[in-house]
Structure formats: structure tokens, C-alpha cells
């Protein structure tokens, strides 16, 4: 006999905590991405997750706590995916290319996660601080990569020197993704190639110790 909730949906059976939390976060990301934080309801998240609302609160707390958990998970997944793709021993250009390609592929496969991570900036504290933190993590990864690219150049750069370039790259990536959503006919590799050409064609000169200065 199948145990059912009052709404007729099959009641979730006992699962390991990690599995249950993943189930809740998957549902919450979907609902938050569709409705935004303020409009999303815990009732709908509970229904999508297939668990009772008391259990939802027991596992991950109130709605604001659940939203922060969603931001942290999606940020960690994205940063981890990029970090794994950027293998040691590859050329700087190949490392950056792989990182950009994984970024666009990830966004393509996880549009709901990206919506939570990027489009909820104006929800107010503590969410803004969470979003700032994930951008800082992404910037640090890219700044270290760009600094590594200049190690053999005539003018090696430290991560703090490459940070402005990393910030610009993160911002360009976010903006290009928003354009991409309005032009979905383009493939992830094509989007990565566009950004790679814009960034590397300029940064490669810095790797060689060349920089532009205005005419006096």
C-alpha cells in the first residue's frame, strides 16, 4: 500500500539527510528561479520537493535561510566545475579557454541555478553579501589563473595585480550570459569562444610584457 499525503502525492519515504537536503534544494532553486524570493512560497517548495512543510523547515530553516543555502550551493557547484576544468600543466590560454567553456556549459545546463545566483541581486541583505562573496571567489580563481599566465613573461604579475582584469572578466561573462538567454540559438562553445577572443587577444599582450599607453 502506497502512503500518500493529503493532496494525493506519494509521501516521501525516509532518506539519508544529504539526499533529502539535495531534494529540497533542487525544488527550492526551481521555485525561486521561477518566482523570485519574495513571491516564492514555502508551500510550493514543499509540494515540488514532495515533503511536508514542517519537514522543510526542520531541514533547512525558514525561507531566507533556504534561499541562502541555494545561493551557496549553486556558487560552490559553479566554482568547483571551473576549478576542475582548469588543469595544472596546460598552457595559460588552454586553461582560460577550458574555464570559460565550462562556465557557459554549466549555465546552459543549470539555468535555474544561474537565475538564483545572478538575478536575485536586489533582494536585500543578507542576500547581497552572499552574492558578493561568490563573485569574490570567482574573481580570486580567475586572478590566480591570469597571474600564472604571466609567470614566464618579462613582467610577472601577482594575483592582486590581475584582480581588476578578473573582475572585468566576471562582469563580461555575466553580461554575455544575459544576452545569450535572449539569443538561445547560440551554442555554449560559441559563447565561450566570443569571450575568449575578446579577453585573450588583449591579455596575451600583457603576458608578453606589452601594454598600451596613450599618446602624450
Amino acid at each position: 500500500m502506497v502512503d500518500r499525503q493529503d493532496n494525493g502525492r506519494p509521501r516521501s519515504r525516509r532518506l539519508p539527510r544529504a539526499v533529502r537536503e539535495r531534494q529540497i534544494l533542487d525544488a527550492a532553486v526551481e521555485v525561486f528561479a521561477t518566482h523570485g524570493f519574495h513571491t516564492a512560497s514555502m508551500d510550493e517548495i514543499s509540494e515540488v520537493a514532495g515533503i511536508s512543510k514542517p519537514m522543510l523547515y526542520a531541514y533547512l530553516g525558514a525561507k531566507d535561510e533556504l534561499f541562502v543555502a541555494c545561493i551557496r550551493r549553486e556558487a560552490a557547484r559553479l566554482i568547483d566545475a571551473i576549478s576542475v576544468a582548469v588543469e595544472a600543466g596546460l598552457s595559460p590560454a588552454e586553461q582560460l579557454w577550458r574555464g570559460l567553456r565550462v562556465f557557459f556549459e554549466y549555465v546552459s545546463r543549470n539555468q535555474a541555478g544561474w537565475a538564483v545566483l545572478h538575478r536575485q541581486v536586489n533582494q536585500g541583505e543578507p542576500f547581497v553579501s552572499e552574492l558578493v562573496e561568490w563573485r569574490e571567489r570567482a574573481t580570486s580563481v580567475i586572478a590566480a589563473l591570469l597571474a600564472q599566465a604571466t609567470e614566464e613573461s618579462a613582467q610577472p604579475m601577482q594575483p592582486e595585480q590581475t584582480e581588476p582584469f578578473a573582475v572585468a572578466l566576471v562582469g563580461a561573462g555575466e553580461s554575455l550570459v544575459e544576452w545569450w538567454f535572449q539569443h538561445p540559438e547560440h551554442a555554449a562553445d560559441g559563447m565561450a569562444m566570443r569571450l575568449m577572443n575578446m579577453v585573450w587577444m588583449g591579455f596575451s599582450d600583457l603576458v608578453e610584457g606589452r601594454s598600451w599607453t596613450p599618446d602624450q
Side-chain angles (χ1 to χ4, degrees), residues 118-163:
H118 179 65
R119 295 183 172 181
Q120 307 293 336
V121 176
N122 297 319
Q123 301 298 339
E125 292 291 348
F127 310 130
V128 169
S129 61
E130 292 292 335
L131 291 161
V132 167
E133 181 179 340
W134 97 257
R135 285 197 181 97
E136 288 177 345
R137 290 178 60 196
T139 298
S140 296
V141 169
I142 296 169
L145 172 61
L146 296 180
Q148 181 181 341
T150 71
E151 286 180 353
E152 304 300 325
S153 71
Q155 298 177 336
M157 302 171 70
Q158 298 301 312
E160 58 268 21
Q161 294 174 290
T162 57
E163 184 176 345

Side-chain angles (χ1 to χ4, degrees), residues 7-196:
N7 60 11
R9 295 169 62 95
R11 187 181 301 277
S12 298
R13 301 191 181 281
R14 186 178 298 277
L15 294 172
R17 184 178 185 90
V19 175
R20 180 70 74 196
E21 288 185 355
R22 183 171 67 249
Q23 179 183 12
I24 294 170
L25 289 172
D26 287 344
V29 166
E30 177 184 336
V31 175
F32 284 135
T34 301
H35 302 294
F37 171 76
H38 292 297
T39 307
S41 72
M42 295 293 272
D43 287 325
E44 183 174 358
I45 293 171
S46 170
E47 182 177 356
V48 172
I51 65 172
S52 68
K53 193 158 69 168
M55 183 181 292
L56 181 62
Y57 282 104
Y59 272 90
L60 289 166
K63 187 167 76 166
D64 56 345
E65 296 172 296
L66 179 56
F67 189 65
V68 167
C70 289
I71 293 173
R72 290 177 177 174
R73 188 188 74 165
E74 297 307 310
R77 283 181 167 184
L78 179 54
I79 297 297
D80 289 347
I82 293 172
S83 299
V84 169
V86 181
E87 299 176 9
L90 297 173
S91 69
E94 183 67 18
Q95 287 183 323
L96 183 57
W97 161 244
R98 290 194 180 193
L100 292 177
R101 186 171 59 182
V102 165
F103 167 70
F104 284 102
E105 288 175 348
Y106 182 89
V107 171
S108 178
R109 294 193 303 268
N110 299 276
Q111 293 191 25
W114 178 256
V116 168
L117 201 55
H118 179 65
R119 295 183 172 181
Q120 307 293 336
V121 176
N122 297 319
Q123 301 298 339
E125 292 291 348
F127 310 130
V128 169
S129 61
E130 292 292 335
L131 291 161
V132 167
E133 181 179 340
W134 97 257
R135 285 197 181 97
E136 288 177 345
R137 290 178 60 196
T139 298
S140 296
V141 169
I142 296 169
L145 172 61
L146 296 180
Q148 181 181 341
T150 71
E151 286 180 353
E152 304 300 325
S153 71
Q155 298 177 336
M157 302 171 70
Q158 298 301 312
E160 58 268 21
Q161 294 174 290
T162 57
E163 184 176 345
F165 300 104
V167 170
L169 181 55
V170 170
E174 291 177 342
S175 297
L176 198 52
V177 164
E178 293 305 304
W179 181 88
W180 186 24
F181 285 164
Q182 298 175 30
H183 302 82
E185 66 273 15
H186 297 281
D189 274 10
M191 299 304 297
M193 186 71 73
R194 288 176 173 85
L195 189 53
M196 180 69 184

